[in-house]
Amino acid sequence: MTDTNNPRINPQKLFDLYFRQEYDRLSEQFLQVLSYFERHTHFELLPDTLYFVNIFTKNFLYLFTQPDYILSDRHVPRFIQLNLTISNLVAISSLKNTDFYLEILRNQPRNFAKILTLYSARNQVKFDRKTLFDANSKLACLWYSVYCDIYRSGLVNPIVYQNIKQHLSYEDERLTEFHHVEDVYFGATYIDSNIDRKIKQKINQAIQNNPLFSQLEIRNHPQPKKLAVITALWFSQHSVYRTLAGYIESLQDDYEITLIHLGDTKNYLDIGSFQGIRYINIQNNSLNLDAIRDNNFTVAYYPDIGMSAESIFLSNLRIAPIQISGTGHPVSTFGSKIDYFLSGADVEITEKAAENYSERLVLIPGFGAIHKQPNYQIKNPENTSLKFIINCSWFAQKVNYPLLRCLQEIATKSEKEILFRFFSGVALLRKNDFLPFQQNVEAMLGKERVEVVTPKPYQEYMSLMEEGKICIEAYHFGGSNTVADSLYLRKPTVTWSGKKWYNRIGAQMLRTVGLEELIANSKKEYIYLILKLIHDDRYRVQIQEKLQQVDLSSTVFSSENKPYFKKAINFLVANHQQLQEEKSREAIIIS
């Protein structure tokens, strides 16, 4: 097979530009090719693609590290922004990383921008971060952010896993600018749930201290029963909508609800619960607030702070007197201007309210989510695979090196031929993340044991899930809708329970269907339970039969706790001033 979609390069032309010292034109040639691979993701490494990637990376790195090839100031930021694309290209090439070329650059003059371009979490060579900030803190801030981009595809690599955790824990008072803030903010929790608090605090502080941001004026004249839902993800098939739309529906009779849609995508929005809709996006690196500059909202409800850049910036403004975050992205903002985090009493550990959230935790009965029943007709296909298929319905950023070590142990101890089927979703569609992720997973588990499924429409995804024998949950960031999908298909599902909503919701769903026996509380239990389901056919069939008898509509997909969401909103509206004066961090229980 051949791939005719690769851009064209002429190595002789590149060298001619270099020898004629036409460095700007040479840079533009490199940037053109790199920008192509930033925009176009390859899902298989065809011979022609590998040949092209090898030719390009070999010539690019050789010329790029020549001491007399000087980058113009106008090209430097763009090269640094392409750090991950370069890292991914080199990873799928025969070179694998840029260590050799970074060592060449180490003692060269005028090497700073080139080091920032080539130095990623895939490197084993080290450069002192303080020295990089000493050289040029503005460019170092840009590099700090793009270095974090690798969280989507790289946490499966042991070198990346350690490097990115160290990177995130680096502290420098000059780290005051963040680029593509949503990647650093959102990715931090997947990289290290013990560090995300500090980096989010730093991001929030940087936003609030920005002179341009602090000058933004919101004129709020709150009127009772006026509420805004602020999100970029109110689409019927999106996980945020699937878990929180029921709550918003509960407010319709008593509140006038406005959808504040973030970002550019406006098609397929579900606007059934709203009396109005307004749009906010980032234009020319500036947040356009015209739609809400003058508003009358008493409550601003954010279902999913962190899943769009706009939501992060807006959470650091006072849009309304009462600001609430939800479990669409179930992580604290750790320092924005959100007052409350509204979650489920059945899932949260009440005693850890202050530890897990900077907002005051508000607990209502149930999950803190109302899962919509999947729109899928179960087919019960005949299983023709000779392998024992294990569904790993995990976005790529949830797959990390310690988790892969667990799967490696399972594969080694299994008496059956296993296929781990990874559903990576859309997480690997940027900057050619897919192939490096796939290669790292295959290197750990064995190519014959791995299938990384490219993004599929929901019906196809569920059809493939039906082929699996069992489903297993990721850790440390588990699943919510994916566990609901697994149980809907009546698949035996193993979860790994932790101390935060995002690694407790799956376990709680198992409890509601009477399958607490499939909840692991440690690595050892996780591996044991999965192996038991693999080896003990009678036990696995018993679990399946038990699931067949469960009324999912009154358990996993129950909406009986829907009214408590409105009750919580009413309580916060009536008591907000008193609650603020209390300055308490204890959870508020709505019963």
Side-chain angles (χ1 to χ4, degrees), residues 13-26:
K13 182 178 179 180
L14 297 177
F15 275 85
D16 285 345
L17 292 172
Y18 168 71
F19 287 125
R20 293 200 302 268
Q21 298 184 356
E22 295 185 40
Y23 298 142
D24 278 0
R25 289 187 61 195
L26 180 59

Side-chain angles (χ1 to χ4, degrees), residues 62-99:
Y62 176 79
L63 291 171
F64 193 74
T65 53
Q66 295 303 307
D68 54 342
Y69 168 35
I70 307 300
L71 303 181
S72 293
D73 288 346
R74 65 188 177 94
H75 288 138
V76 166
R78 183 62 180 139
F79 271 114
I80 297 173
Q81 289 167 358
L82 288 162
N83 177 288
L84 178 58
T85 302
I86 294 167
S87 179
N88 282 339
L89 274 183
V90 176
I92 63 177
S93 78
S94 300
L95 295 169
K96 299 308 177 189
N97 64 48
T98 58
D99 281 355

Side-chain angles (χ1 to χ4, degrees), residues 226-289:
K226 301 279 189 177
L227 183 144
V229 176
I230 305 176
T231 177
L233 305 169
W234 212 248
F235 310 101
S236 61
Q237 289 298 325
H238 197 280
S239 59
V240 171
Y241 177 92
R242 288 178 60 193
T243 54
L244 296 177
Y247 285 147
I248 301 306
E249 291 165 5
S250 74
L251 303 176
Q252 285 180 284
D253 292 341
D254 289 352
Y255 284 85
E256 182 180 317
I257 314 169
T258 300
L259 174 64
I260 309 298
H261 174 67
L262 309 178
D264 296 324
T265 305
K266 299 177 183 178
N267 296 327
Y268 312 114
L269 289 174
D270 189 303
I271 58 174
S273 296
F274 304 106
Q275 281 73 46
I277 182 169
R278 305 182 193 182
Y279 301 95
I280 292 179
N281 56 26
I282 295 175
Q283 299 175 351
N284 301 318
N285 295 318
S286 177
L287 190 65
N288 184 347
L289 294 177

Side-chain angles (χ1 to χ4, degrees), residues 307-550:
M307 297 186 75
S308 65
E310 292 90 347
S311 68
I312 298 166
F313 287 114
L314 288 176
S315 73
N316 282 283
L317 287 172
R318 179 57 64 178
I319 306 296
I322 303 168
Q323 307 204 132
I324 307 168
S325 182
T327 58
H329 185 230
V331 187
S332 173
T333 65
F334 291 127
S336 73
K337 295 190 177 180
I338 302 298
D339 305 301
Y340 308 101
F341 191 99
L342 211 163
S343 187
D346 293 355
V347 181
E348 297 280 5
I349 302 175
T350 307
E351 296 76 16
K352 290 189 173 291
E355 179 182 333
N356 289 343
Y357 299 98
S358 61
E359 305 82 11
R360 191 164 183 188
L361 184 61
V362 180
L363 297 176
I364 61 176
F367 297 145
I370 296 177
H371 295 91
K372 285 189 176 292
Q373 189 156 303
N375 180 23
Y376 176 77
Q377 184 66 44
I378 295 176
K379 302 179 178 66
N380 293 313
E382 183 180 352
N383 194 331
T384 58
S385 175
L386 298 177
K387 296 183 178 181
F388 190 98
I389 299 174
I390 299 177
N391 290 332
C392 303
S393 186
W394 311 335
F395 269 83
Q397 64 266 17
K398 295 183 180 182
V399 194
N400 54 62
Y401 178 66
L403 184 57
L404 283 186
R405 288 294 301 271
C406 291
L407 301 191
Q408 191 178 51
E409 184 173 341
I410 291 164
T412 301
K413 292 180 176 178
S414 173
E415 298 168 4
K416 296 180 180 178
E417 196 174 355
I418 286 176
L419 178 69
F420 294 106
R421 179 172 278 168
F422 292 87
F423 295 88
S424 60
V426 298
L428 300 175
L429 295 185
R430 298 192 294 173
K431 304 183 181 182
N432 258 288
D433 274 331
F434 185 88
L435 287 174
F437 175 88
Q438 181 186 56
Q439 290 175 349
N440 283 149
V441 174
E442 289 177 350
M444 279 283 293
L445 302 178
K447 190 172 184 178
E448 71 285 357
R449 295 188 182 122
V450 170
E451 179 185 358
V452 182
V453 179
T454 56
K456 302 291 184 187
Y458 186 72
Q459 297 296 316
E460 291 183 40
Y461 151 73
M462 289 291 275
S463 182
L464 284 171
M465 285 274 285
E466 276 206 79
E467 296 177 6
K469 289 283 192 181
I470 65 173
C471 301
I472 61 177
E473 187 185 32
Y475 189 84
H476 63 274
F477 204 111
S480 178
N481 280 293
T482 52
V483 175
D485 288 340
S486 302
L487 295 176
Y488 176 78
L489 295 172
R490 292 349 194 246
K491 298 294 178 183
T493 303
V494 175
T495 66
W496 185 344
S497 185
K499 297 180 180 179
K500 299 188 177 182
W501 192 95
Y502 55 73
N503 53 33
R504 295 177 60 82
I505 177 61
Q508 185 56 32
M509 282 192 272
L510 287 187
R511 288 190 187 94
T512 66
V513 298
L515 288 179
E516 191 165 359
E517 63 196 285
L518 294 184
I519 301 171
N521 293 292
S522 67
K523 171 185 173 181
K524 183 177 180 180
E525 290 181 6
Y526 183 72
I527 293 171
Y528 168 79
L529 288 171
I530 294 169
L531 287 171
K532 184 176 182 180
L533 287 171
I534 293 170
H535 293 146
D536 193 335
D537 294 338
R538 180 179 296 179
Y539 177 67
R540 189 177 65 256
V541 170
Q542 287 176 352
I543 296 293
Q544 289 172 323
E545 290 175 348
K546 192 171 184 178
L547 271 171
Q548 291 291 345
Q549 302 303 315
V550 172

Side-chain angles (χ1 to χ4, degrees), residues 107-119:
N107 297 312
Q108 277 188 14
R110 299 181 178 180
N111 62 359
F112 181 66
K114 293 181 181 180
I115 288 172
L116 298 188
T117 299
L118 301 186
Y119 187 28

